[in-house]
Amino acid sequence: MYNAVRQRRASRNGDVNGALSFFESRAISDEKMFWRFRLSPERNLCDIFWSDGPSQLDYHLFGDVLAFDATYGRNKYNLPVIVFSGVNHHNHTCIFGAAMVSCESQSSYVWVLQQFLECMGGKFPGAVITDGDRSMRLAIQEVFPDARHRLCAWHILKNATSHICKPIFTNLLRNCMLADVDVDEFELQWAAMVDECGVREVDWVNDLYAKKDLWATAYIRGSFFAGLRTTSRCESLHAKLGRFVDRRYGVHEFVINFQRCVDFIRDNEEELEFRSLYGTPVLQTEFPELEKSAAMEYTRDIFFRLRETLKSSVRIKILDRSEMDNKVIYQTQRYMRAGKRWTVEHVKECDRFCCSCKRMESFGLPCVHVIAVLVQLDRSCIPKSLIMARWSKNVKAERVSADGRAGEVLGETDSVFKSRVGAFLQLCKRYAMLACVKETEYKKCSSRVVEEIKILEQTVKAGEVGGGINSNCGDKVREPVPVRTKGTGTANEPVGSQGIKRRKCSACGELGHRRTRCTKASGAVDNGTQVSAGVTDLQSQGPSRTRLNHVSGGTSVEESLT
């Protein structure tokens, strides 16, 4: 009952206006709260974007890789929800912002990305990964022209299965896409694949080849994507969001429960932060000095990844070493891989290592070849040039300490707001005890407090209005018009439009009957004879045979067959 009363009070000015009021209330404790929305000529909500202060902080630290995808069926208006996410220093998903759009057109995506760019202070992402949606791809080219765009590998393989319908082609395409090979070797593999499968003249295959720089590892290698190859993190995030929101929710309820989901994710991150800062993992490799150095620098999850690299480095041997002006070049080879070699360059002046496999540039961690060279050089710690700041356990603490205006830049959390309220109440109690001793002092202090309250109310209201465009509209914002989207499924289709699902025989493959009634399957004649005989026996029993009929009252009666 209390929840129903609270919801009615919150939505008395309308569903969308309740959501905007929620943003304004959040802006009191979070100075960096940001929201923008667009209206139709009839003042119906079309698009809306929002992001809070901690999300903006996460983007400034981990915004080098951006992933987003649309999810459907999360509100009663069927508006597609777009969640912008990335990878934090624990190799877990973090949320940068969210949006609801009325349609998945190029103009809608352009508007959302422009608001996202304005919210983040004009910082462009280094890489973006999405599915193959054309409107999304064109919007990224317009708003983020310098970002490296990558298509989801899972969606490409799914489309290959539906367009070509050859399992061998899907397997060969997966090898071409994910194999860590050079460009020349990729071209040879592609030519051999299309000839073997006979798909050289297929238009879909030719279009896919024209976009090879968006999905082939041979062309993407060296670009930092934090290990992302698919949008599976987005799908996992959407599934987690489904635990907090429901398709019957309006905009106001969705925004509130979406924030609950964000808080849940941040609580898990704080737990991971505690585990990384306190405690030391047990050393397991043959190089305890390097392993201990990695444990001191990286977060726990990233350290586990690097420890597997340390274990695998024993399979690498150095074949040759040649010195040049200011660098040393090492030729390495993996055990039982005599035909493949990797080159490691060591620049002595800046103590920089670079490998031909480009794993450091692609993921931000040193590869097994560089680790083998460090072992050869008897290094006791990992060089600073091989430690990417985004994987460090102190990346957030260093950002706050380096910025003198941390409270204004990073935004205030609810805990800081509540701490300020508690401390200020103690001062008010002391002020009240002194001001109420005499009548003259009481009147003078009361009038002064009233004036200060009026000034603060005007200041806070001006700050709230600055958070969102049209947030101080004279007229109320109307609810969005329900839409039909490509991802809402068959639940909203008219009754009868889906057709009748006919059964398919597992023996002969024809429609309209089961295997037990199939006349073409082996033993069908004997089964048919037995069934006919059984029917004859039942009919010979006469009217004494009975059957059970269910009635509306939930009970059953017996009725004789004539």
Side-chain angles (χ1 to χ4, degrees):
M1 179 178 178
Y2 293 103
N3 294 333
V5 172
R6 179 179 57 83
Q7 292 176 4
R8 292 194 63 181
R9 288 178 178 176
S11 61
R12 59 188 175 184
N13 294 327
D15 184 20
V16 180
N17 291 278
L20 299 180
S21 300
F22 173 77
F23 291 148
E24 294 175 358
S25 63
R26 294 279 300 183
I28 298 177
S29 60
D30 185 357
E31 298 177 0
K32 301 299 292 182
M33 186 69 198
F34 182 95
W35 70 96
R36 296 286 188 271
F37 58 91
R38 290 197 305 178
L39 304 179
S40 65
E42 295 78 15
R43 302 196 58 79
N44 296 104
L45 178 68
C46 291
D47 308 318
I48 183 171
F49 170 84
W50 70 92
S51 175
D52 59 0
S55 296
Q56 298 171 37
L57 167 62
D58 288 340
Y59 180 79
H60 285 290
L61 295 176
F62 315 114
D64 44 7
V65 178
L66 175 65
F68 63 93
D69 192 10
T71 179
Y72 312 94
R74 303 301 184 186
N75 53 83
K76 64 180 181 181
Y77 307 107
N78 285 335
L79 298 181
V81 179
I82 304 172
V83 182
F84 297 89
S85 60
V87 182
N88 60 13
H89 54 316
H90 298 284
N91 199 29
H92 283 231
T93 303
C94 58
I95 296 178
F96 300 144
M100 299 176 70
V101 296
S102 57
C103 63
E104 294 184 86
S105 61
Q106 180 181 350
S107 60
S108 296
Y109 279 119
V110 168
W111 182 86
V112 170
L113 294 181
Q114 288 175 348
Q115 307 313 310
F116 178 84
L117 191 62
E118 178 186 355
C119 173
M120 302 306 172
K123 178 183 177 181
F124 291 88
V128 182
I129 179 169
T130 64
D131 57 12
D133 187 84
R134 184 176 181 274
S135 301
M136 199 178 292
R137 184 172 70 253
L138 295 177
I140 292 173
Q141 295 176 0
E142 181 177 347
V143 184
F144 303 146
D146 298 330
R148 188 63 187 270
H149 187 198
R150 182 170 189 170
L151 299 179
C152 174
W154 182 85
H155 284 89
I156 292 177
L157 295 177
K158 178 183 178 182
N159 294 334
T161 304
S162 59
H163 284 83
I164 306 303
C165 301
K166 292 183 179 181
I168 186 174
F169 175 80
T170 304
N171 294 332
L172 293 177
L173 179 61
R174 181 186 294 106
N175 295 334
C176 288
M177 185 188 335
L178 304 180
D180 189 10
V181 297
D182 297 331
V183 174
D184 297 336
E185 188 172 352
F186 168 81
E187 296 293 341
L188 294 177
Q189 291 184 4
W190 179 270
M193 178 189 66
V194 295
D195 291 337
E196 180 179 353
C197 300
V199 294
R200 184 176 292 275
E201 303 300 329
V202 179
D203 294 337
W204 182 85
V205 176
N206 294 329
D207 293 340
L208 182 64
Y209 179 75
K211 298 181 294 185
K212 58 186 176 182
D213 56 333
L214 300 179
W215 52 267
T217 304
Y219 289 90
I220 299 177
R221 189 175 58 174
S223 300
F224 184 78
F225 279 93
L228 296 183
R229 290 180 174 179
T230 66
T231 57
S232 58
R233 286 181 180 266
C234 297
E235 302 296 339
S236 176
L237 183 60
H238 296 163
K240 188 175 297 183
L241 179 62
R243 297 164 51 187
F244 294 86
V245 300
D246 191 81
R247 66 178 304 114
R248 69 177 183 272
Y249 286 173
V251 178
H252 185 206
E253 289 180 306
F254 175 86
V255 169
I256 294 177
N257 288 277
F258 177 83
Q259 190 61 40
R260 290 179 55 233
C261 179
V262 174
D263 295 338
F264 174 76
I265 294 176
R266 288 173 183 164
D267 290 341
N268 293 338
E269 180 181 344
E270 291 181 0
E271 181 180 354
L272 295 174
E273 195 79 12
F274 178 82
R275 293 181 179 179
S276 297
L277 293 176
Y278 300 96
T280 303
V282 179
L283 305 182
Q284 299 179 359
T285 66
E286 300 180 7
F287 316 109
E289 294 80 8
L290 290 176
E291 188 177 0
K292 185 177 181 180
S293 173
M296 296 295 294
E297 295 288 343
Y298 295 108
T299 58
R300 190 62 55 88
D301 295 75
I302 300 299
F303 165 73
F304 290 155
R305 284 176 172 264
L306 185 61
R307 185 164 65 183
E308 297 301 322
T309 304
L310 288 171
K311 294 179 180 180
S312 302
S313 63
V314 297
R315 302 172 62 89
I316 303 297
K317 59 180 179 180
I318 299 177
L319 302 178
D320 187 23
R321 177 181 182 275
S322 58
E323 294 192 15
M324 300 181 66
D325 296 336
N326 191 29
K327 61 182 179 181
V328 183
I329 300 178
Y330 299 87
Q331 296 291 334
T332 63
Q333 175 184 317
R334 184 184 290 269
Y335 175 71
M336 298 297 293
R337 296 283 185 87
K340 184 66 175 179
R341 296 186 179 184
W342 291 268
T343 303
V344 179
E345 293 186 2
H346 175 212
V347 181
K348 296 181 179 180
E349 183 177 0
C350 57
D351 198 20
R352 182 176 62 87
F353 294 83
C354 180
C355 183
S356 58
C357 71
K358 297 183 179 180
R359 186 173 187 268
M360 182 65 195
E361 293 80 2
S362 302
F363 188 73
L365 288 178
C367 59
V368 291
H369 318 108
V370 173
I371 295 296
V373 173
L374 294 178
V375 174
Q376 179 73 16
L377 297 176
D378 289 334
R379 292 293 186 94
S380 60
C381 62
I382 298 178
K384 294 296 182 180
S385 60
L386 295 177
I387 300 177
M388 183 172 285
R390 74 173 332 275
W391 300 129
S392 173
K393 63 172 63 176
N394 298 319
V395 58
K396 287 194 173 182
E398 292 175 357
R399 174 60 185 265
V400 173
S401 60
D403 199 333
R405 300 165 63 242
E408 181 178 353
V409 175
L410 306 181
E412 303 296 346
T413 60
D414 291 338
S415 60
V416 176
F417 173 73
K418 294 177 181 179
S419 300
R420 288 177 176 176
V421 171
F424 195 78
L425 286 176
Q426 296 298 325
L427 297 177
C428 292
K429 289 180 179 179
R430 185 177 178 183
Y431 183 80
M433 293 295 295
L434 297 175
C436 296
V437 175
K438 296 181 179 181
E439 181 72 18
T440 56
E441 294 295 333
Y442 168 74
K443 293 181 178 179
K444 185 188 301 184
C445 293
S446 298
S447 60
R448 190 183 307 169
V449 169
V450 172
E451 293 178 358
E452 291 292 336
I453 291 175
K454 292 181 179 179
I455 296 175
L456 287 175
E457 285 180 348
Q458 295 177 358
T459 304
V460 172
K461 184 178 295 185
E464 293 174 0
V465 172
I469 295 177
N470 299 331
S471 60
N472 197 22
C473 299
D475 299 332
K476 296 180 180 179
V477 180
R478 298 181 179 178
E479 283 72 19
V481 179
V483 298
R484 286 285 307 276
T485 60
K486 64 181 182 181
T488 54
T490 60
N492 296 324
E493 294 183 4
V495 178
S497 62
Q498 303 178 18
I500 301 175
K501 183 178 179 181
R502 304 185 63 187
R503 297 186 181 275
K504 183 178 180 181
C505 178
S506 60
C508 66
E510 295 182 359
L511 298 176
H513 63 275
R514 301 181 183 178
R515 182 176 181 178
T516 56
R517 297 178 178 271
C518 181
T519 58
K520 298 181 180 180
S522 59
V525 178
D526 297 337
N527 293 336
T529 304
Q530 295 174 2
V531 171
S532 300
V535 173
T536 304
D537 294 338
L538 288 175
Q539 293 178 350
S540 63
Q541 295 177 4
S544 60
R545 188 171 58 89
T546 61
R547 66 180 182 185
L548 293 179
N549 290 338
H550 294 279
V551 297
S552 59
T555 59
S556 60
V557 296
E558 294 186 353
E559 177 184 343
S560 300
L561 291 177
T562 57

